[in-house]
Amino acid sequence: MSSSGGDMRLERNRFGNKVLAQVQQYEGIDSAEFDIEAFEVAFRFRDTGHGKIVLHTLFERCQGQPDQERRRRVADLLQAFLSEGEPDTWDSVVGRLRPVLRGSGRIHLDFEGFDSRQVMVWRPALPYLIEMIVIDNPRTVHFVTTVDLQRWGVDADRVFRSAHMNMAGLAMNTLEAFEPCTGIRVLEFADDDGESYVGSLPLLGGWLAGVRARTGVRPMVLLPGHLGMFVVLGAAEEQLPIFLEMAEEKYGEALRPLSPLPYTVDEEGELVPLRLPDEHPAWHALRRLEVGLASSTYRTQTEHLRADRFREEAVSELMHVRAPDGTSHTMTPWTDGVPTLLPRAHFVCMVTSGGEVVRVAWEDVVAHIDLTPVDGYDPPRYRVKDHPSAEVMACLRALPGY
């Protein structure tokens, strides 16, 4: 083993033992073990069930960060199971429900050993982001699970509606901060203690449309971390590169990063990612941020799926590549005849049985092949096996690459 390889193993070992010590401190944990080879911490609850935290992505995120960052991230993972008390009746919790935005990787805490019904309640919100519901307790939060729904006798739609209704007062109060816009304004809505949930306001139907109506301009929203948000008003087209740089910088500084992308409101008043035409001077920068978020989110998902030793399908990786002109793209392989869970990518590299690689744009793949997202995956996965017929492959070979 090289010196650098040995140093990395020692560093990973120290990190894993720190996570192990933190997990063991929780009152609800009966026992926990750190496996350096699998690079994971497995734990058993005092009452029933067990789970594990795969450390690869956590280790990467915490590199160069203070121990506080690691402690925050591990605590966030464990909060899905540990709370201040068992959520009791619907009437006792409904007023404390709040919506939160989280990265799609948040759903990849291993549930092995738990009843299969005990999974967190979530729904897609934006590309690579999901909406979850928490019970706002005095000192911590409890992420709502399907077990909670069964105990309360309500469905997920009602829980989401109730959580949104609980934000109505905050939504009205914050709208008063917006006035007709002249020039550029950047408003920071801080939530350092995590008690106001102001960063969840863009999830509420009509809130961003209300900002647009009161200011007379199309707002841009930055959601770099789990807490708080920035709202940018009156930014001219030529100034967008400055705010993309700001979004990336704030994302890099966030203790619990969420997204480096800017968001805005569409004609129907819904929260959507900011889109730019290819010829826009900020398009390349925005594309790079989009690809970075996509590849990091799919990496977390890929590691989680590949860790399932009972999975029979191959799990394709999403790769971040750059074209000769510097444009960022995503790419993924599909080997003929191999059952595979395929991520959505800009380009699919179709590897034939003879070793030929046919690179095809995603739009052309779905135009010739019926691909349907598999339920339960965010970001989406598509179950594939054999390449299409020789005639279709000939058509795909004739198409231009990037």
Side-chain angles (χ1 to χ4, degrees):
M1 179 182 294
S2 67
S3 175
S4 60
D7 291 344
M8 178 57 70
R9 182 178 176 84
L10 288 173
E11 191 174 347
R12 286 158 63 95
N13 187 58
R14 284 194 295 268
F15 181 83
N17 280 299
K18 286 181 178 180
V19 174
L20 173 64
Q22 181 178 349
V23 171
Q24 290 172 328
Q25 291 173 359
Y26 278 78
E27 184 178 350
I29 300 294
D30 180 62
S31 62
E33 295 181 353
F34 169 49
D35 185 338
I36 180 61
E37 300 302 330
F39 202 40
E40 64 188 28
V41 171
F43 50 89
R44 181 174 297 280
F45 289 98
R46 190 158 295 159
D47 296 328
T48 182
H50 60 274
K52 64 184 177 183
I53 302 175
V54 179
L55 300 178
H56 299 279
T57 301
L58 186 67
F59 178 70
E60 292 178 7
R61 284 290 191 187
C62 293
Q63 286 292 288
Q65 300 293 325
D67 278 353
Q68 181 185 10
E69 167 68 351
R70 182 256 308 156
R71 288 193 294 268
R72 285 179 179 272
R73 287 180 175 274
V74 173
D76 194 36
L77 289 170
L78 291 173
Q79 280 173 3
F81 305 107
L82 303 170
S83 65
E84 294 184 337
E86 184 79 359
D88 192 9
T89 65
W90 172 247
D91 289 342
S92 70
V93 301
V94 61
R96 292 182 283 132
L97 297 176
R98 300 291 186 274
V100 294
L101 268 173
R102 291 292 185 266
S104 298
R106 184 64 180 79
I107 63 177
H108 297 311
L109 182 65
D110 202 303
F111 286 95
E112 182 182 353
F114 289 91
D115 188 301
S116 61
R117 298 169 298 171
Q118 187 166 345
V119 294
M120 289 178 283
V121 173
W122 63 275
R123 63 184 180 186
L126 291 159
Y128 315 111
L129 299 181
I130 58 174
E131 179 182 1
M132 305 177 74
I133 301 298
V134 300
I135 302 172
D136 183 35
N137 293 315
R139 294 189 302 273
T140 185
V141 297
H142 169 90
F143 283 86
V144 174
T145 71
T146 53
V147 170
D148 297 325
L149 302 189
Q150 292 172 10
R151 180 170 54 253
W152 299 333
V154 299
D155 60 18
D157 286 341
R158 186 173 180 186
V159 169
F160 280 106
R161 286 197 307 271
S162 299
H164 283 213
M165 289 175 61
N166 291 338
M167 299 284 290
L170 179 64
M172 295 300 296
N173 290 338
T174 51
L175 280 178
E176 296 178 0
F178 296 96
E179 301 173 347
C181 184
T182 56
I184 302 175
R185 294 183 65 197
V186 180
L187 284 73
E188 179 179 8
F189 291 84
D191 186 16
D192 294 337
D193 55 11
E195 293 184 358
S196 75
Y197 298 91
V198 68
S200 300
L201 286 175
L203 289 169
L204 306 187
W207 186 79
L208 272 179
V211 173
R212 181 173 57 187
R214 288 182 63 89
T215 61
V217 297
R218 188 185 185 200
M220 184 166 61
V221 179
L222 309 182
L223 300 164
H226 284 188
L227 303 177
M229 65 177 172
F230 296 85
V231 178
V232 180
L233 303 170
E237 291 290 306
E238 63 272 13
Q239 295 166 326
L240 285 180
I242 298 174
F243 291 104
L244 290 182
E245 183 177 343
M246 173 184 170
E248 185 175 18
E249 179 181 341
K250 295 296 183 182
Y251 175 74
E253 294 174 350
L255 286 176
R256 287 180 284 179
L258 185 63
S259 171
L261 301 180
Y263 301 92
T264 188
V265 60
D266 64 12
E267 295 304 319
E268 286 71 41
E270 297 296 326
L271 178 67
V272 294
L274 179 69
R275 302 296 186 195
L276 299 175
D278 295 1
E279 63 275 10
H280 193 284
W283 183 84
H284 280 279
L286 180 60
R287 172 76 161 218
R288 178 177 57 80
L289 295 178
E290 291 171 343
V291 168
L293 182 61
S295 59
S296 65
T297 306
Y298 266 117
R299 186 183 309 116
T300 300
Q301 186 192 64
T302 299
E303 291 172 354
H304 172 78
L305 295 175
R306 288 180 176 176
D308 181 359
R309 62 184 182 275
F310 300 111
R311 185 174 300 282
E312 298 179 353
E313 303 156 307
V315 181
S316 277
E317 182 181 1
L318 188 79
M319 296 172 285
H320 182 174
V321 298
R322 286 184 175 83
D325 66 356
T327 301
S328 292
H329 299 290
T330 55
M331 189 176 293
T332 191
W334 172 6
T335 301
D336 189 21
V338 178
T340 302
L341 284 174
L342 202 68
R344 176 161 186 159
H346 293 120
F347 293 91
V348 178
C349 290
M350 306 182 72
V351 184
T352 69
S353 56
E356 178 189 10
V357 178
V358 182
R359 187 176 59 206
V360 187
W362 183 265
E363 292 77 10
D364 294 322
V365 171
V366 297
H368 291 83
I369 305 169
D370 183 20
L371 294 182
T372 303
V374 182
D375 289 341
Y377 291 101
D378 192 290
R381 290 274 176 174
Y382 303 80
R383 185 167 281 119
V384 297
K385 182 181 178 183
D386 298 326
H387 287 178
S389 66
E391 291 77 13
V392 172
M393 287 298 295
C395 292
L396 295 177
R397 287 186 182 92
L399 295 170
Y402 61 71

